[in-house]
């Protein structure tokens, strides 16, 4: 992992020597969801959550229409689950549970973007990213 970061820093320094580098900040959002397999024993519903994020971004211009965008982002993911479990006959009708899960990540994307020239800027691109889980928190309430 140390070698990967050393290579990435070296590549950024080498590219900056031959090209123009622009650094900025960005705000992001994430519609977080999950795929769940539930049995017929209980009714399970899930709700996607909009989670915020932010980061530092660097655009490295390779030529006038091509650039590499990388950075370091903090991103949150999460989901809300609601379940209804059958209770004990004669004692409890049902048990309702709500759980919230929050996960925190640091992401390092490397995207290649193509940008048009002229007064109206339009760009398209894509690429991989590496993500490291930093922390997580879950909260559950039952009635």
């Amino acid at each position: 992992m140390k070698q990967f970061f050393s290579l990435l820093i070296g590549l950024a320094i080498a590219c900056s020597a031959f090209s123009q580098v622009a650094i900025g900040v960005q705000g992001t959002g994430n519609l977080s969801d999950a795929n769940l397999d539930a049995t017929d024993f209980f009714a399970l519903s899930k709700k996607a959550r909009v989670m915020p994020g932010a980061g530092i971004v660097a655009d490295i211009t390779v030529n006038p229409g091509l650039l590499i965008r990388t950075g370091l982002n903090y991103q949150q993911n999460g989901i809300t689950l609601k379940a209804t479990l059958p209770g004990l006959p004669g004692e409890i009708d049902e048990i309702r549970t709500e759980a919230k899960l929050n996960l925190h990540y640091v992401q390092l994307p490397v995207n290649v973007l193509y940008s048009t020239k002229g007064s109206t800027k339009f760009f398209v691109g894509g690429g991989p990213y590496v993500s490291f889980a930093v922390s997580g928190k879950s909260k559950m309430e039952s009635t």
Side-chain angles (χ1 to χ4, degrees), residues 9-74:
I9 291 170
L11 182 63
I13 291 170
C15 287
S16 66
F18 297 104
S19 62
Q20 187 176 4
V21 177
I23 296 175
V25 295
Q26 70 178 2
T28 61
N30 181 21
L31 182 60
S32 185
D33 200 2
N35 186 14
L36 301 170
D37 292 329
T39 64
D40 293 334
F41 179 66
F42 57 91
L44 178 68
S45 66
K46 63 179 181 164
K47 181 176 147 186
R49 296 174 60 196
V50 177
M51 305 296 284
I56 299 171
V57 65
D59 289 343
I60 303 166
T61 304
V62 178
N63 66 40
L66 186 69
L67 60 97
I68 297 172
R69 177 173 285 174
T70 187
L72 193 62
N73 300 322
Y74 165 74

Side-chain angles (χ1 to χ4, degrees), residues 77-132:
N77 292 325
I79 190 167
T80 300
L81 299 173
K82 292 182 181 180
T84 303
L85 300 133
L88 301 171
E91 294 181 26
I92 301 172
D93 291 334
E94 64 185 13
I95 300 169
R96 294 183 194 152
T97 301
E98 181 176 329
K100 288 186 178 183
L101 176 65
N102 293 326
L103 301 171
H104 305 272
Y105 291 92
V106 174
Q107 294 179 344
L108 179 69
V110 179
N111 296 316
V112 177
L113 302 173
Y114 173 76
S115 177
T116 60
K117 298 176 187 173
S119 62
T120 304
K121 289 283 188 177
F122 176 77
F123 64 90
V124 63
Y129 68 90
V130 177
S131 184
F132 301 98

